[in-house]
Every structure is written in C-alpha cells, then in structure tokens.
Amino acid sequence: MKNTIHVSNQRATLDTSRRNFLKLSGIGLAMAGLTLIGCDDNEFDYMANDKVFDLGTGDVGVLNYAYALEQLEADFYTKVVNNFYAGISSIEKELFTDLYHHEVIHRDFFKAAISGATMNVLPKLEFQYPNVNFNDRNSVLATAKALEDTGVAAYNGAGKYISNADYLVIAGKIVSVEARHASAIRNLINPGTAAFSGDDVIDGNGLDLAKEPKDIVMTAGGFIKTPFTWKEQGIN
C-alpha cells in the first residue's frame, strides 16, 4: 500500500541572516510543505529485535542509506559545535554552525520521510571517532573533508537506484548543498587555491565523482558502531 508523506521543517532553527553561499535561503531544501508518495510497505527486509537491521530494497533502501550518512554527518558536526577546537576563528565558527544546521535538517528530513512510509526506519546509530582529535583544527578539518567528499560521492552513486522522481529531485538538491560543504571545507584547508574542486573529487568532465554504496560504506564504516546490512547492494 502506498502512503503519502507530508514533511515540514517548521521546527528547524536555521539563522538565515548572514549572507554566504552555504545558506539555504528560501528553498529550505524543498522540505517546507513537501508532499511525497511513500514506497510500498513490502519494500523492506527489516530484522527486528536484536538482529541486524537491513536497509531494505528499492527506494526505501536508498533512503535509509542516505539517512545513515546524514546521521553520521549531523553527529560529527554536533560534536564540533558543542566544543569548538582551540583557536577557532569567528569565520570558522560560523561555517561549522551553518554545516551543523544543514546536516541536522537533512537527517531529520530523511527520518520524517521514511517514517511517513513505514514503521521500519533505520534506528538511531551510534558512532565513534577513534582517530579524531576534536580539539585540533587539522584533525577536525581533515575529518570534515573526508565526510563531505564521501557524502557527495554517495549521493551521486546512489541516484541511479532511485525510481521515484520526487526522491531523485530531493537527492539532487541535497547533494548540491553537500558539494558546497565540501568546497568550503577544502577552501579552509587550502585557501585561495583550486583545491575546492580538486582533481581528486572532480573527473575529467568536470563532474563530481560517484561511488557505489558498497565502497561508501567501506569508507565510512570506521565511524559507524551500529551494524546494519544492505543485502540488495551486497553489504552484509
């Protein structure tokens, strides 16, 4: 059975008074008043109780996959803004605060969208950062760069698995914001250079790289403590 999903971001507290290219401005990621058509209830392979959660099949699997990555980014930036590293500049504080708000909105959007379609929503994940020193600028920026680059490649690689046109449009809008995040972080690391669109993330056609879900999970897996599978994509 199909379900209709109504999503609103009216509770999101995003300061839009400052002018910079990271701002969501009026689009709100197309979340305010958004109506989507839910997926079939049988598009799941959910493992209950103490068993490992499977992301599911079809669009549901992709949505849960994106939700997992947005949980990770939101958790990381929450830790950053709750205890800024020593010597952080006002510009960097503003940037990380913007990124924090964006990722929380992304995370909450996916939770609301999936919850509107089914009860089988990826649970809240636990994360770990064994090699990250949150009080060190270089460590935080390097981790942010890795997460943002990975996020862009993840959305680009998963797009071909989305069948619902509404979901594809939303994914396209979110990945454009993630690409801005990646560029901003890269510019902090190497200001005034071409690193913001380096050839390590841009292909010969000037397009952002795309990576398969299996490769993304392998890369991000070191941060994720809670196990899950995505059998449809060979992730067990």
Side-chain angles (χ1 to χ4, degrees), residues 85-87 92 133-142 188-189:
Y85 51 76
E92 291 173 359
N133 179 356
F134 282 93
N135 197 43
D136 179 77
R137 180 180 186 271
N138 291 335
S139 183
V140 170
L141 288 177
L188 281 183
I189 296 173

Side-chain angles (χ1 to χ4, degrees), residues 23-230:
K23 290 301 177 185
L24 293 181
S25 302
I27 63 171
L29 283 181
M31 293 180 202
L34 176 68
T35 300
L36 297 179
I37 301 301
C39 302
D40 286 325
D41 289 336
N42 62 1
E43 287 186 335
F44 303 94
D45 187 10
Y46 174 69
M47 304 300 287
N49 302 322
D50 60 344
K51 296 183 179 179
V52 176
F53 183 96
D54 187 82
L55 299 185
T57 61
D59 287 348
V60 169
V62 180
L63 291 177
N64 271 319
Y65 168 60
Y67 180 36
L69 296 175
E70 295 297 352
Q71 282 193 52
L72 170 57
E73 290 186 315
D75 184 79
F76 173 74
Y77 287 117
T78 297
K79 287 179 169 55
V80 172
V81 301
N82 282 341
N83 185 26
F84 286 118
Y85 51 76
I88 188 170
S89 69
S90 59
I91 292 176
E92 291 173 359
K93 273 189 178 182
E94 182 178 16
L95 173 64
F96 279 116
T97 300
D98 288 344
L99 267 58
Y100 157 75
H101 282 300
H102 292 186
E103 301 302 358
V104 168
I105 289 172
H106 294 176
R107 179 198 66 195
D108 292 349
F109 166 73
F110 279 110
K111 181 178 181 179
I114 303 168
S115 297
T118 179
M119 294 177 60
N120 298 331
V121 184
L122 178 72
K124 181 179 179 181
L125 302 177
E126 293 185 18
F127 304 99
Q128 59 188 2
Y129 306 92
N131 299 313
V132 181
N133 179 356
F134 282 93
N135 197 43
D136 179 77
R137 180 180 186 271
N138 291 335
S139 183
V140 170
L141 288 177
T143 306
K145 174 176 173 289
L147 290 177
E148 296 296 351
D149 288 348
T150 298
V152 173
Y155 276 101
N156 288 340
K160 63 187 177 184
Y161 299 116
I162 300 174
S163 59
N164 184 306
D166 291 324
Y167 293 149
L168 188 59
V169 169
I170 293 299
K173 292 185 176 184
I174 292 178
V175 73
S176 71
V177 176
E178 297 290 354
R180 288 176 172 86
H181 292 180
S183 293
I185 292 295
R186 285 168 160 264
N187 189 62
L188 281 183
I189 296 173
N190 295 292
T193 72
F196 75 94
S197 59
D199 57 11
D200 57 327
V201 288
I202 304 296
D203 66 19
N205 295 315
L207 301 175
D208 286 303
L209 297 181
K211 294 185 178 180
E212 289 295 312
K214 195 169 186 178
D215 296 325
I216 294 295
V217 172
M218 184 177 298
T219 300
F223 296 114
I224 303 173
K225 290 180 65 176
T226 308
F228 62 80
T229 63
W230 193 4

